[in-house]
Amino acid sequence: MRRHILIVFGLFVLVVIAAAVYVGWPDTARLPIAAVEGKTPTISTPRVQTIPTIDVADAVGWPAGATPTPAPGLSVKAYATGLDHPRWLYRLPDGDVLVAETNSPPRGGGGIQNWVMKHLMGKAGAGAPSANRITLLRSTKGDGVADVKTVFMTGLDSPFGMTLFEGQLYIADTDALVRVPYTDGATAITAKPELVVKLPGGGNHWARNVIPAPDGRTLLVSVGSSTNIADDGIDAEQNRAAILQVWPKEKTFRIYAAGLRNPNGMALTKAGQLWTVVNERDMLGSDLAPDYLTQVEFGDHFGWPWYYWGGYPDARVQPDNPQLQQYSKRPDYALGPHVAALGLAFADGTKLGAAWSNGAFVGEHGSWNRKPVSGYKVVYIPFAANGFPTAGAKPIDVLTGFLDKDGKARGRPVGVIVDKDGGLLVADDVGNRVWRVSAR
């Protein structure tokens, strides 16, 4: 009798769980995405999920002759094709373009979480091993197409950010900042990379970026969190969810700004102000929390994991940290929930027309956990004369059409830069190409 009671009870529990899943999963957005964009987004009541909403667009690639859809007054064409998961771009002084062909390092361990992550990466077009390569692209005919494509550097470890600094090329691998000597006009580097500083590797956010700091003496390196909300404890997030300041000569670093779940694209304005785009936390529903674009100053803390959007508490994070709430900096501009904002470039040097001359371009890689999906496009945020986004402005679509009519991903935009002729280059890691946007 006792056995039968336990069986019936177990079946009852399963029915309750199934009913809860049916009612609350997947979570569907209740707000238009525009309501969660701009300087004052709507921050709704969180809908905490035990099972995340999963709605990633299947990667199918571009059919022959197809391109993304540019905004009115702009045109687009392929700058380079036949690449292997191009994620990040860097323009050299002579106008050549470096592209990091890269992917997540191998993920060890088993378990349901790792299985789900690998499955999602495969669906999203990121399941192949990393090429661990930097390729040089050169356009010699002035037609906006790279007619020279050559292997520039190999032997790296999931490379991402690249920058020239004092005669050296610095590369942000997933677990280290390294450098090699650079000569103007070089088409290949065979020197063994020199370690500058080790970076924390592993975990969910593998891509590291690097740019020169405003002081002209140091570098800034972005390192994303290992988990969603410090799920393995805050000690496992040491020197993560942060922007680090590196002294290249001394080979030392410190935390420049913290509480940034996954800062990726970083850029300086002409006035020398640091801005970054950040991927915020998951499993609070399809309306939370907004990814964002923000200015960053030394000593800033943006609240992660305890707070989001300048002080809203995440009750899932224990122990709590009430002392931090009043010091959690509110971001400057919301980009919408789960858009996966990765690329960032200011409009300086563009020749796309007056409408695109003072603002920031953002590559939105696209959501995996929102219904309906968000991102999967390049947007533009206009700036005012005060150096901040224009009051009341919403993101303006620059390049769309990465999703086909069936909602499948023909491409996914990542890094964005301005080329030597004033066009906008966009790395497309699913389409395995780089697009060039120009004035019509």
Side-chain angles (χ1 to χ4, degrees), residues 96 123 153 169 210 253 338 393 405 414:
D96 289 347
K123 280 174 62 68
M153 196 171 174
L169 178 66
V210 56
F253 70 89
H338 311 300
K405 61 181 177 59
V414 193

Side-chain angles (χ1 to χ4, degrees), residues 27-31 36 42 44 47 285-290 337-338 370:
D27 179 83
T28 301
R30 303 176 189 176
L31 297 171
V36 200
T42 299
S44 55
R47 301 188 291 275
S286 290
D287 294 317
L288 284 179
H338 311 300
R370 183 179 190 269

